[in-house]
Amino acid sequence: MKYYLISGEASGDLHGSNLMKALKTLDSEAEFRFWGGDLMKEVGGTCVKHYKELAFMGFVEVIMNLRTILRNIEFAKKDIEEYKPDAVILIDYPGFNLRVAKFIKQLGIKVYYYISPQIWAWKTGRVHQIKKVVDRMFVILPFEKDFYRKYEMEVDFVGHPLLDALETREFLSKDNFLQKYQLDNRPIIALLPGSRNQEIKVKLPIMLSVMSDFPDYQFVIAGAPSQTIDYYKRFMHQYSVKVINNDTYNLLNNSVAALVTSGTATLETALLNIPEVVCYRGSRISYEIGKRLVKHISYISLVNLIMDKEVVKELIQQELTHQNLRTELQKILTEPYRSQVVEDYRKLREKLGGEGASMRTAKHIVDDLRAKDFR
């Protein structure tokens, strides 16, 4: 069968690639055409556009690039119509994908949505649009099934694909890791300040400010794939800190604690059993707009949202200060607080359903398409 996939971010490339591998296992004649990245390219098929051409984030950036985004949407519609796939699989990226989904539905092509948009947090009204244009939704957070049920839409909870990604990952031993990056034997505290210039510029200096309070530890920055090592040089010189590019999982796996900007990285850190402090500070305008749009959400980190309690400390906006960060970092380095966080992480993995999200999703799709063909 012919599959057309659209992912617009690095995380979508990762989860899309694992889903494609699972589809190939179940469907030996699977053909792929996709919008994604290098990981999806490795699986095979035709890459139409790389996600680096699509990743516009933040209110201002989206508005400035609106013409490009609209052109890409029209191009996607035309390309899908010409390819005539058996199914289109949309991976997160809702602003783009939901606009394309309406057109695909009109063509009579099956529309599957893998990784629901976070409409439970904001833009709740999108659920009515999803009901009209998506044939089957696969959700990865346990509470999302109940959310959709409130709107009389049944969805499939398949587990979280990050568990698959981590399960198949081969990690460097501690000795090899230290040797590869020329690090000393002090315990490592990982710094994950985000990927965009603005968020790094704001949050990284605050993270680095606590270095002098913990001389028995070495602080290492996780470089974002979207940034070159040159971008970090001013921080490296000013704070005498090292940067590791494109190897965040190995960095986290060999760390004792982490300071992490909000987002998927908070969940990745937790699933690697690394106690963390979540750091968020955006522009006042973006924060105030976001605060008014987000509904009924008590936390910003996925870890706390899934567990429905404060497992990891969140320092948001004006709370993200040198003093508060020092205090919270000291807590996660000290017993018994540290062990409690790790125990909560164990319960988190249980709630996420264990490994196998990619294969469960692929099986639903293939079985559904074959049943359709049989009829």
Side-chain angles (χ1 to χ4, degrees):
M1 283 180 279
K2 295 164 66 176
Y3 303 90
Y4 196 107
L5 299 90
I6 301 179
S7 65
E9 298 158 315
S11 60
D13 179 38
L14 171 64
H15 304 320
S17 68
N18 285 328
L19 178 59
M20 288 164 67
K21 291 173 187 174
L23 286 168
K24 285 181 73 172
T25 300
L26 298 174
D27 178 5
S28 60
E29 297 181 352
E31 296 178 15
F32 300 113
R33 188 171 176 86
F34 58 88
W35 297 44
D38 297 340
L39 295 175
M40 293 173 77
K41 282 183 180 180
E42 289 176 8
V43 181
T46 302
C47 181
V48 180
K49 280 188 182 286
H50 199 287
Y51 70 80
K52 289 182 180 178
E53 300 177 53
L54 313 171
F56 304 115
M57 299 181 69
F59 301 104
V60 176
E61 192 177 359
V62 167
I63 291 170
M64 289 177 63
N65 292 280
L66 188 57
R67 185 175 296 178
T68 300
I69 294 169
L70 292 175
R71 277 201 305 264
N72 283 334
I73 289 171
E74 291 308 309
F75 178 79
K77 291 177 180 178
K78 183 180 178 183
D79 196 51
I80 291 167
E81 188 171 19
E82 291 177 354
Y83 184 59
K84 296 181 175 58
D86 295 286
V88 175
I89 303 170
L90 307 173
I91 304 173
D92 201 0
Y93 199 48
F96 188 96
N97 276 336
L98 287 177
R99 284 174 173 83
V100 175
K102 182 179 179 181
F103 176 78
I104 303 167
K105 185 74 172 176
Q106 292 169 351
L107 295 176
I109 297 170
K110 276 277 192 177
V111 180
Y112 299 102
Y113 211 118
Y114 181 43
I115 307 177
S116 169
Q118 295 181 352
I119 56 174
W120 37 267
W122 69 313
K123 294 191 176 181
T124 306
R126 275 181 169 170
V127 70
H128 303 294
Q129 182 184 2
I130 288 171
K131 286 177 69 175
K132 291 177 182 177
V133 301
V134 174
D135 290 297
R136 200 158 177 180
M137 171 69 76
F138 305 109
V139 302
I140 64 173
L141 301 173
F143 59 80
E144 290 177 321
K145 194 171 177 68
D146 291 334
F147 168 83
Y148 275 100
R149 190 173 286 128
K150 291 177 185 176
Y151 294 90
E152 299 180 341
M153 181 176 177
E154 285 301 317
V155 300
D156 298 282
F157 171 60
V158 293
H160 205 292
L162 268 179
L163 291 164
D164 292 350
L166 293 173
E167 180 68 17
T168 57
R169 177 78 187 223
E170 292 184 6
F171 292 99
L172 291 173
S173 68
K174 184 174 181 180
D175 287 343
N176 288 340
F177 177 77
L178 295 178
Q179 183 178 10
K180 179 177 180 179
Y181 294 109
Q182 298 180 317
L183 300 170
D184 60 49
N185 288 319
R186 288 176 298 165
I188 297 169
I189 295 174
L191 306 180
L192 282 66
S195 59
R196 289 177 287 160
N197 290 7
Q198 187 59 33
E199 63 182 353
I200 296 170
K201 186 169 70 174
V202 170
K203 283 177 278 193
L204 186 52
I206 302 173
M207 292 177 174
L208 290 168
S209 73
V210 300
M211 280 181 61
S212 59
D213 298 300
F214 299 89
D216 295 331
Y217 297 84
Q218 57 185 322
F219 288 66
V220 181
I221 300 169
S226 57
Q227 303 291 349
T228 65
I229 197 71
D230 287 339
Y231 178 78
Y232 296 97
K233 280 184 177 176
R234 56 178 165 151
F235 301 107
M236 295 165 69
H237 294 323
Q238 185 177 352
Y239 295 94
S240 297
V241 65
K242 290 199 173 182
V243 177
I244 292 178
N245 251 15
N246 300 316
D247 203 3
T248 301
Y249 283 176
N250 267 314
L251 171 58
L252 284 171
N253 195 53
N254 286 283
S255 298
V256 295
L259 308 181
V260 186
T261 201
S262 59
T264 305
T266 62
L267 184 57
E268 292 172 315
T269 304
L271 294 178
L272 286 167
N273 283 325
I274 309 303
E276 65 185 300
V277 181
V278 177
C279 307
Y280 177 83
R281 183 185 285 184
S283 72
R284 181 161 184 171
I285 293 174
S286 293
Y287 178 71
E288 291 299 328
I289 292 173
K291 192 167 66 172
R292 284 161 176 74
L293 291 173
V294 171
K295 307 294 184 184
H296 313 300
I297 298 297
S298 303
Y299 306 104
I300 65 168
S301 71
L302 283 172
V303 177
N304 292 344
L305 282 167
I306 294 165
M307 294 298 289
D308 196 25
K309 69 173 188 175
E310 187 182 78
V311 172
V312 295
K313 182 66 178 179
E314 300 177 350
L315 296 179
I316 305 171
Q317 288 298 97
Q318 301 309 311
E319 293 177 353
L320 182 57
T321 64
H322 169 91
Q323 184 174 346
N324 288 344
L325 196 54
R326 178 183 62 192
T327 298
E328 296 304 325
L329 180 54
Q330 185 61 56
K331 282 184 182 178
I332 60 175
L333 291 170
T334 308
E335 298 293 356
Y337 188 92
R338 180 179 177 82
S339 290
Q340 181 57 56
V341 172
V342 173
E343 172 59 19
D344 283 333
Y345 285 171
R346 183 188 64 77
K347 296 175 182 175
L348 172 71
R349 293 181 75 95
E350 290 179 357
K351 290 193 77 169
L352 287 175
E355 295 83 14
S358 305
M359 184 57 73
R360 279 191 286 270
T361 305
K363 191 172 189 310
H364 282 311
I365 292 171
V366 171
D367 287 350
D368 200 39
L369 290 172
R370 284 176 176 162
K372 175 188 171 187
D373 289 342
F374 179 75
R375 289 194 299 271

